[in-house]
Amino acid sequence: MQKEVLILAIESSCDDTSAAIICNDKILANITATQKIHEQYGGVVPELASRDHQKNIIPVIDAALKKAGVNLSQINGIAFTRGPGLMGSLLVGASVAKSLSLSLDIPLIEVNHMQGHILAHFIKENDLQKIPSFPFLCLTISGGHTQLVKVKDYLDFELLGETTDDAVGEAFDKAAKILGLGYPGGPQIDKLAQQGDYTKFKFAESKVDELNFSFSGIKTSFLYFVQNHTQKNIRFVDENLNDICASYQKHLVSVLMKKLLKAAEQTGIKDVAIAGGVSANSEVRKQIEKAGKENNWNVFIPKLEYCTDNAAMIAVTAYYKYLKNDFCKLDVAPMVRMKI
Ligand code: KG4
Ligand code: ZN
């Protein structure tokens, strides 16, 4: 019988302060404090994010321990997000994790946030659950990244393609800002798009090599599209909001799907997953299911609570690192950029 391993994981890479307790690959608690302060600025303000992490981190850890019914003295390892992310935000999680590791005299485990998003697929919910087989393809789509990854093993990743400029999440968020919607804009565009006609407007496509992506041109052409129409009709956005959202969302998702299909074709891999905040998008989820049926893929879609940033994904990644004794020293420093 395998020994039970209890890990406390902390995620603080951007604007969500999250703590999770995992027992092997089963999550006992996953508590996230979402910072509301950024809404009024239409995007994350790094300085304010760090301050909110400072305020939230201990209460969030306490709440996770309480929910899991676990004492700090029972914990076998402390995990934290090392990067990529905002330096001031990462420093809060890293410092708290180091202090706990030092005071409890237990191993410290650093986790790559992008690996975490992917390994969220291995959080065990029940015995019947389908999990991807190695190697599988993962389209990781978030506010900071857009990556196509070949996952060869739990901790063995090959980057097949990525964005050359903005992430797809940014393309959602910036468009929402242009339309006067709140932050984060992705979920709002998704919601309004449900009532809209996606055939109404067409957007330009960026040509990018191989399995890479580009969203900055699409974002700029969206700005010009709105400006041009508004010059002719001041009420253009109000009168067409749902159709604009539906058409723009459809366009972004079709860009993603084209590259995902190409990657599947080139590699011959049939297990295909999505991960990251934008994988919560209803059109992304619909289109990958559809492509799965048409191409005989085994499709893996994360539960909604494991799409956007959360410590559960950091905890499960840390569990696989713990099994390999992959620990780090107390002088480890966070990294704003970090390769997968
Ligand atoms: O993974 P995540 O929580 O944070 C990063 O690592 O960046 O992703 C956040 C991104 C934001 O851009 C947000 O607008 C987007 O995920 N997002 C969505 C949806 N839910 C979250 N985008 C489109 N549709 C959604 N339903
Ligand atoms: Zn993320």
Side-chain angles (χ1 to χ4, degrees):
M1 181 90 171
Q2 195 188 1
K3 177 185 165 239
E4 279 197 345
V5 179
L6 278 173
I7 294 173
L8 162 61
I10 298 168
E11 154 63 35
S12 71
S13 64
C14 190
D15 60 342
D16 291 311
T17 320
S18 187
I21 312 288
I22 200 166
C23 177
N24 294 351
D25 51 1
K26 255 180 89 185
I27 295 293
L28 305 182
N30 179 40
I31 305 284
T32 305
T34 303
Q35 304 180 359
K36 295 270 173 229
I37 186 129
H38 308 285
E39 279 170 13
Q40 57 191 291
Y41 299 97
V44 177
V45 183
E47 180 75 23
L48 297 178
S50 320
R51 283 191 225 169
D52 259 26
H53 283 308
Q54 277 293 3
K55 273 194 236 157
N56 296 338
I57 190 105
I58 300 297
V60 162
I61 292 173
D62 278 346
L65 287 165
K66 199 166 169 203
K67 167 128 196 252
V70 165
N71 292 319
L72 268 182
S73 61
Q74 295 171 270
I75 299 283
N76 305 106
I78 304 287
F80 69 100
T81 304
R82 184 179 183 190
L86 302 169
M87 184 47 90
S89 293
L90 292 165
L91 276 168
V92 177
S95 305
V96 171
K98 285 182 190 190
S99 318
L100 285 170
S101 157
L102 188 65
S103 55
L104 299 167
D105 195 22
I106 52 174
L108 181 65
I109 307 162
E110 49 108 4
V111 173
N112 179 316
H113 181 86
M114 301 314 291
Q115 296 184 1
H117 270 304
I118 297 176
L119 293 197
H121 285 285
F122 296 97
I123 293 170
K124 192 162 181 184
E125 301 286 339
N126 58 60
D127 289 334
L128 300 172
Q129 171 190 356
K130 263 190 347 165
I131 50 168
S133 316
F134 300 114
F136 68 93
L137 275 181
C138 188
L139 173 69
T140 316
I141 38 185
S142 72
H145 293 80
T146 305
Q147 298 181 330
L148 264 168
V149 182
K150 180 173 168 183
V151 188
K152 300 180 193 167
D153 205 339
Y154 293 110
L155 299 167
D156 188 3
F157 305 84
E158 182 186 339
L159 185 66
L160 302 178
E162 65 183 330
T163 181
T164 53
D165 40 57
D166 295 343
V168 64
E170 273 174 279
F172 270 103
D173 295 337
K174 292 276 164 59
K177 199 172 177 181
I178 293 166
L179 295 173
L181 306 172
Y183 177 85
Q188 315 226 27
I189 291 191
D190 192 358
K191 198 166 153 220
L192 296 168
Q194 319 270 335
Q195 322 294 328
D197 170 6
Y198 68 81
T199 62
K200 188 89 174 273
F201 303 108
K202 294 270 171 286
F203 298 97
E205 203 164 315
S206 332
K207 293 255 176 301
V208 205
D209 284 352
E210 299 302 324
L211 297 175
N212 292 321
F213 303 87
S214 165
F215 290 101
S216 100
I218 298 177
K219 196 182 72 186
T220 312
S221 80
F222 183 79
L223 174 67
Y224 292 148
F225 158 84
V226 172
Q227 283 177 344
N228 289 340
H229 280 279
T230 307
Q231 265 169 16
K232 288 176 220 144
N233 169 12
I234 192 81
R235 296 189 40 79
F236 172 72
V237 168
D238 287 348
E239 287 169 5
N240 296 280
L241 189 57
N242 295 345
D243 297 341
I244 298 171
C245 289
S247 305
Y248 184 67
Q249 172 171 287
K250 186 85 180 172
H251 180 61
L252 293 179
V253 177
S254 78
V255 170
L256 294 172
M257 289 308 298
K258 266 187 205 159
K259 296 286 172 142
L260 182 58
L261 280 159
K262 192 169 175 177
E265 212 176 279
Q266 281 182 8
T267 57
I269 293 175
K270 294 281 184 193
D271 277 25
V272 182
I274 48 173
V278 183
S279 64
N281 182 267
S282 60
E283 184 65 21
V284 170
R285 294 167 93 90
K286 193 168 115 193
Q287 290 302 329
I288 191 171
E289 288 279 17
K290 184 164 165 259
K293 288 201 182 93
E294 286 167 5
N295 297 283
N296 281 322
W297 293 346
N298 302 310
V299 166
F300 298 90
I301 299 175
K303 264 176 78 174
L304 280 175
E305 67 172 306
Y306 301 139
C307 289
T308 45
D309 290 348
N310 64 88
M313 69 188 201
I314 304 304
V316 73
T317 310
Y319 169 64
Y320 287 105
K321 292 189 112 175
Y322 187 98
L323 294 181
K324 294 179 110 183
N325 286 326
D326 188 349
F327 306 135
C328 63
K329 296 207 184 114
L330 284 167
D331 64 358
V332 62
M335 292 168 81
V336 169
R337 289 197 180 77
M338 198 173 172
K339 283 195 182 137
I340 190 154

